[in-house]
């Protein structure tokens, strides 16, 4: 088994994570030529191309394997730093970059319960990088070896990974009070939902259609949609009277209480089950992440 240069592995990870050679060079504080040389030496050692020079750059199958190995090495260093800090608080953390631990979490969880869950770890110095994506697609970041764990809707564990159920995020359909009074005073129905603009996160977001199909027992739903790629932005757009949106009840609970927003489909909710997936490794850092997320989810999610 070949031994790979840790600097070259970290260089590969930086190229993929930063999306290019120039930004990887800035992050690593080396020249762009040095980045190219490190990648080339790794490709020569492996005997194949590791990065597809496309826009955006993409790792090849071999590149994904080495990227996963690079992240595992990074995790081992983070575990070591944590253990050293416990044994001798003055010995660890004195110089050098904090190890970057990447996880993928859906935007609605970030906007509601996930950040408070991770606050303790961040305050203690864990170098977190949170990737955001739709809850149905965060699993692809883990599948490709680009993150150590993810919050997703997938119920089955990937190979070499473990899975922990987190609970269900409850979604409701809301509109600003004046908008609701003018456009759907009796709420949404199978007859009027087509006339309402729905505010979705992006084109991957199918929660709006799922909610309507679930509430009114329809097989095919076509909606007029606007796109705001931010969970907080979706709520702001609804408050501004843009239309209707399906959002976590947890996120708009206070607005519903004060009457700024109206539940336009009372009696209907869409529960979305969430799961934490992570690599099945013996790691203090991964165990801490798992414990923090599951504890917070147990309180926040139904």
């Amino acid at each position: 088994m070949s031994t790979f240069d840790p600097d070259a592995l970290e260089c590969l990870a930086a190229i993929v994570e930063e999306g290019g050679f120039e930004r990887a060079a800035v992050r690593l504080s080396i020249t762009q030529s040095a980045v190219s040389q490190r990648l080339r030496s790794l490709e020569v050692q492996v005997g194949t191309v590791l990065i597809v020079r496309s826009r955006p750059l993409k790792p090849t199958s071999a590149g994904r394997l080495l990227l996963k190995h690079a992240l595992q090495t990074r995790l081992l260093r983070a575990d070591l730093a944590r253990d050293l800090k416990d044994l001798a608080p003055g010995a660890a953390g004195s110089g050098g970059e904090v190890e970057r631990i990447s996880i993928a979490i859906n935007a609605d969880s970030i906007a509601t319960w996930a950040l408070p869950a991770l606050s303790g770890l961040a305050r203690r110095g864990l170098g977190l990088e949170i990737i955001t994506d739709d809850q149905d697609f965060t699993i692809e970041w883990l599948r490709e070896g680009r993150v150590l764990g993810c919050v997703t809707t997938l119920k089955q564990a990937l190979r070499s990974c473990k899975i922990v159920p987190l609970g269900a995020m409850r979604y409701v359909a809301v509109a600003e009070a004046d908008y609701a009074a003018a456009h759907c005073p009796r709420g949404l129905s199978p007859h009027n939902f087509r006339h309402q603009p729905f505010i979705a996160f992006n084109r991957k977001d199918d929660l709006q259609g799922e909610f309507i199909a679930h509430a009114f027992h329809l097989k095919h739903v076509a909606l007029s949609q606007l796109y705001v790629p931010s969970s907080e932005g979706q709520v702001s757009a609804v408050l501004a009277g843009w239309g209707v949106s399906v959002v976590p009840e947890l996120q708009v609970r206070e607005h519903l209480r004060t009457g700024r927003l109206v539940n336009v489909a009372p009696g209907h909710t869409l529960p979305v089950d969430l799961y934490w997936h992570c690599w099945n490794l013996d790691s203090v850092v991964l165990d801490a992440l798992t414990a923090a997320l599951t504890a917070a989810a147990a309180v926040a999610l139904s």
Side-chain angles (χ1 to χ4, degrees):
M1 173 74 67
S2 298
T3 301
F4 298 106
D5 178 8
D7 289 338
L9 287 172
E10 193 59 35
C11 185
L12 171 66
I15 293 169
V16 174
E17 291 169 346
E18 299 296 336
F21 287 70
E22 183 176 352
R23 293 174 63 181
V26 172
R27 173 172 144 187
L28 297 173
S29 299
I30 59 177
T31 65
Q32 189 171 338
S33 175
V35 169
S36 298
Q37 289 173 8
R38 289 183 186 182
L39 177 63
R40 180 57 183 160
S41 68
L42 200 57
E43 290 179 327
V44 169
Q45 184 177 2
V46 176
T48 188
V49 173
L50 300 176
I51 295 287
V52 177
R53 276 70 165 177
S54 59
R55 294 197 177 188
L57 294 175
K58 293 181 180 180
T60 63
S61 296
R64 287 194 295 271
L65 286 175
L66 282 186
L67 177 61
K68 184 175 181 179
H69 179 58
L71 295 191
Q72 288 175 336
T73 303
R74 190 184 290 173
L75 181 61
L76 288 173
R77 292 197 300 265
D79 279 339
L80 177 60
R82 191 179 178 93
D83 290 342
L84 286 174
K85 191 171 184 179
D86 290 339
L87 290 173
S94 56
E97 182 182 354
V98 175
E99 295 298 340
R100 183 183 305 195
I101 303 302
S102 301
I103 58 177
I105 302 179
N106 61 306
D108 288 341
S109 290
I110 292 174
T112 51
W113 63 273
L115 288 189
L118 299 170
S119 291
L121 295 174
R123 286 195 299 267
R124 290 197 292 272
L126 182 63
L128 277 172
E129 178 183 16
I130 300 177
I131 308 296
T132 182
D133 206 337
D134 184 271
Q135 59 260 25
D136 295 335
F137 294 89
T138 48
I139 193 68
E140 295 306 318
W141 291 82
L142 183 64
R143 195 191 309 273
E144 294 177 2
R146 299 173 67 181
V147 297
L148 299 170
C150 69
V151 174
T152 181
T153 54
L154 188 70
K155 299 178 182 180
Q156 294 180 327
L158 301 179
R159 188 176 64 177
S160 302
C161 293
K162 59 184 177 182
I163 178 173
V164 180
L166 294 173
M169 182 90 84
R170 289 161 40 87
Y171 284 80
V172 294
V174 298
E176 189 269 333
D178 290 340
Y179 176 93
H183 298 278
C184 47
R186 295 184 178 84
L188 293 179
S189 73
H191 308 291
N192 70 3
F193 74 83
R194 294 179 180 84
H195 306 298
Q196 312 301 328
F198 279 78
I199 304 157
F201 186 85
N202 58 23
R203 294 182 184 275
K204 294 180 182 178
D205 179 10
D206 56 3
L207 276 171
Q208 320 297 315
E210 280 187 34
F211 182 94
I212 294 299
H214 182 265
F216 302 130
H217 308 289
L218 301 174
K219 290 185 178 180
H220 303 289
V221 173
L223 299 176
S224 172
Q225 296 198 117
L226 310 174
Y227 300 103
V228 180
S230 158
S231 293
E232 295 85 353
Q234 279 181 265
V235 174
S236 295
V238 175
L239 288 168
W242 287 22
V244 178
S245 191
V246 175
V247 295
E249 187 272 338
L250 185 63
Q251 188 178 9
V252 294
R253 188 174 293 167
E254 183 61 19
H255 290 315
L256 290 170
R257 188 189 67 78
T258 62
R260 291 190 68 194
L261 293 182
V262 175
N263 187 336
V264 291
H268 299 288
T269 62
L270 179 66
V272 175
D273 292 324
L274 296 176
Y275 303 86
W276 166 246
H277 293 246
C278 66
W279 294 349
N280 191 15
L281 299 173
D282 184 11
S283 165
V284 174
V285 169
L286 275 184
D287 289 346
L289 282 169
T290 300
L293 289 169
T294 53
V299 175
L301 304 182
S302 58

